[in-house]
Amino acid sequence: MIGRALFARFSKVNRLRNLQNVEIQTNLCRCPSLSNNFSFTFKFKACSTSTSSTLLSPSSLLSSREKRSSKPRIGLVELTSLEYFSSYLSSEIVFQDENIIAISKQPGLSVFGSPSSENIDEQSLSIVHTLPQLSQHLGLEELEIGLSLKSYYSGLVLLTKNTKAAEKLQKVLSSVASQKKKFLTYLAIVVGKPQCEIQKNIDLYLERQYLHERQMTVIYDKSVHSSRKVGKMVQITFSLRIISSNDSTFSSLVEIKISKDKWDVIPALLSHYLSPVLGDCVYFSRTNYLMDVPVSAPPHIALPGGQQRLPLRTENALWDCFKLGTSPLPLFLHRSQIKLPNFPSHSSMPYEITAPPPAAFATALDCLGLQLSSRK
């Protein structure tokens, strides 16, 4: 049965032209029905005048829509100047008081950047570089980054109105993280359903390892004392709830509450539980599909990068809305809520700040037949 499936996957190879010395490799690992890990490598030659070699993913041969752009998606907003950027950010404020400002960041916008010159162009615009203009726009003396967010995530970013508030915020964030309190809430659109216990506190351990020529996160169920001692491993606590699921599009909307957002923890753990985040181009390869059944691939074998491989029914549901043939998907991971206890003082009422998902997130939910309204 497995042999037939593999033969069917590679039957389209004969249709390819203009390729020479092409090597295709696939790995089937940790499949419950298989006692051993194994891999297959296929080589073939075709008429061509080119001397370059090409590496193809076997699952990319399943669909005729395999030619996709490798260019990363940039910010969803055209940012032509710091003044325009500061005006745009002020329109994205979802909460403000005497201590902090909360901005709902779009995916693709950088919080910290590293422009190479004083002439900041639209490719290097970031929130930190527009803080002077934003402060002036809001009539404030100063602003600092209090809680950041990765550029490819959407959701809440916290700014503090002075240095003293920034220091207090960092102490509160360190305290709640060390106490394993789940103060961050994310919404994620995932492929399939997470294969873990639902609505239960789960402790995991993250370790940074140098894999495939880059730093990557590996998930462990148990602690390794030597790694924790040198700071290469940290513990996180999270709980997960499925808000909506659709078997016909093989997709789900999940809510994750977590004690610490570090080292790409959420994309790594969701792929660890066989439900990679939609748009994840790094950790998705740790989940493979054998006849529509998700199976896990060890991190040291699963190659990161490239276009995310989706089940055909998921791809078909998204094709028209997101024009998958011309551009890759954004990462559908949204920091939707932050809870801050004891800020700025122990007698203060807890903060609870929320932000709705961006427009692209809502569009994907509609395409996949998922409902956000069932969230409680």
Side-chain angles (χ1 to χ4, degrees):
M1 184 67 71
I2 295 175
R4 292 181 181 178
L6 289 170
F7 179 79
R9 288 195 173 200
F10 292 100
S11 63
K12 294 188 179 181
V13 169
N14 293 327
R15 303 180 192 176
L16 298 177
R17 293 296 184 266
N18 300 324
L19 296 176
Q20 184 175 5
N21 297 326
V22 176
E23 180 174 318
I24 301 176
Q25 182 169 352
T26 182
N27 297 280
L28 302 177
C29 307
R30 292 175 59 185
C31 176
S33 61
L34 301 175
S35 59
N36 297 309
N37 300 341
F38 57 94
S39 64
F40 295 94
T41 300
F42 296 82
K43 294 183 179 180
F44 68 92
K45 292 184 178 181
C47 297
S48 173
T49 58
S50 172
T51 59
S52 62
S53 298
T54 305
L55 180 64
L56 297 178
S57 165
S59 60
S60 67
L61 303 177
L62 290 173
S63 170
S64 61
R65 308 166 181 147
E66 62 190 22
K67 294 182 179 180
R68 298 182 177 179
S69 172
S70 60
K71 296 181 180 180
R73 178 179 290 263
I74 61 174
L76 303 181
V77 183
E78 288 189 22
L79 307 174
T80 56
S81 68
L82 288 173
E83 290 73 17
Y84 179 82
F85 193 9
S86 64
S87 177
Y88 163 73
L89 289 177
S90 66
S91 68
E92 295 294 297
I93 294 175
V94 295
F95 177 85
Q96 181 176 185
D97 70 357
E98 66 276 10
N99 296 298
I100 62 174
I101 293 176
I103 294 176
S104 182
K105 187 186 78 66
Q106 294 290 325
L109 297 184
S110 175
V111 177
F112 294 98
S114 55
S116 57
S117 69
E118 295 181 357
N119 298 321
I120 302 174
D121 59 22
E122 63 180 83
Q123 296 297 325
S124 59
L125 279 176
S126 60
I127 293 177
V128 72
H129 294 115
T130 195
L131 290 183
Q133 288 77 11
L134 182 59
S135 300
Q136 185 178 5
H137 188 87
L138 298 175
L140 302 172
E141 292 184 0
E142 62 175 324
L143 282 172
E144 295 187 25
I145 304 295
L147 181 62
S148 182
L149 188 64
K150 295 183 182 296
S151 62
Y152 38 89
Y153 293 11
S154 69
L156 291 165
V157 173
L158 298 186
L159 310 179
T160 59
K161 292 187 175 182
N162 53 68
T163 303
K164 188 175 181 180
E167 293 174 353
K168 289 182 178 180
L169 179 59
Q170 292 306 312
K171 289 181 179 179
V172 170
L173 295 177
S174 299
S175 175
V176 294
S178 63
Q179 296 173 25
K180 298 189 294 183
K181 292 183 178 179
K182 302 186 296 295
F183 70 101
L184 297 174
T185 301
Y186 284 84
L187 295 176
I189 301 177
V190 301
V191 181
K193 292 181 182 179
Q195 305 297 306
C196 65
E197 294 184 86
I198 304 301
Q199 293 185 298
K200 181 181 178 180
N201 289 343
I202 300 175
D203 292 331
L204 288 179
Y205 298 89
L206 316 179
E207 184 177 27
R208 290 297 272 179
Q209 295 183 9
Y210 192 75
L211 299 172
H212 315 295
E213 300 182 349
R214 63 188 297 170
Q215 289 288 334
M216 299 191 70
T217 296
V218 180
I219 305 291
Y220 290 97
D221 295 325
K222 296 182 179 180
S223 173
V224 179
H225 178 71
S226 59
S227 295
R228 295 194 69 180
K229 187 176 181 180
V230 297
K232 291 184 178 180
M233 177 174 282
V234 297
Q235 181 180 7
I236 59 103
T237 300
F238 78 98
S239 62
L240 187 146
R241 182 170 70 91
I242 298 176
I243 299 174
S244 178
S245 184
N246 189 337
D247 291 337
S248 64
T249 58
F250 200 61
S251 60
S252 301
L253 172 65
V254 300
E255 179 186 75
I256 306 113
K257 296 184 177 181
I258 195 163
S259 63
K260 186 180 296 185
D261 179 8
K262 187 174 184 178
W263 298 342
D264 297 323
V265 54
I266 297 177
L269 75 85
L270 284 171
S271 191
H272 176 76
Y273 289 120
L274 304 181
S275 59
V277 180
L278 186 65
D280 173 20
C281 293
V282 178
Y283 296 94
F284 77 94
S285 57
R286 297 183 185 181
T287 301
N288 291 325
Y289 300 95
L290 182 61
M291 301 165 66
D292 278 349
V293 177
V295 294
S296 180
H300 66 279
I301 292 179
L303 294 175
Q307 184 68 30
Q308 183 182 26
R309 297 187 295 273
L310 297 174
L312 193 58
R313 45 185 162 164
T314 309
E315 183 180 277
N316 288 337
L318 296 167
W319 186 264
D320 292 332
C321 293
F322 289 93
K323 299 180 180 179
L324 297 186
T326 59
S327 61
L329 288 169
L331 184 70
F332 289 94
L333 183 60
H334 176 73
R335 183 192 282 171
S336 61
Q337 188 178 82
I338 296 174
K339 292 184 178 181
L340 292 177
N342 305 326
F343 179 78
S345 65
H346 288 283
S347 60
S348 301
M349 293 294 292
Y351 279 80
E352 186 170 311
I353 308 170
T354 61
F361 202 100
T363 299
L365 291 177
D366 290 339
C367 293
L368 296 170
L370 302 173
Q371 301 294 326
L372 181 60
S373 57
S374 60
R375 182 185 181 194
K376 298 180 181 178

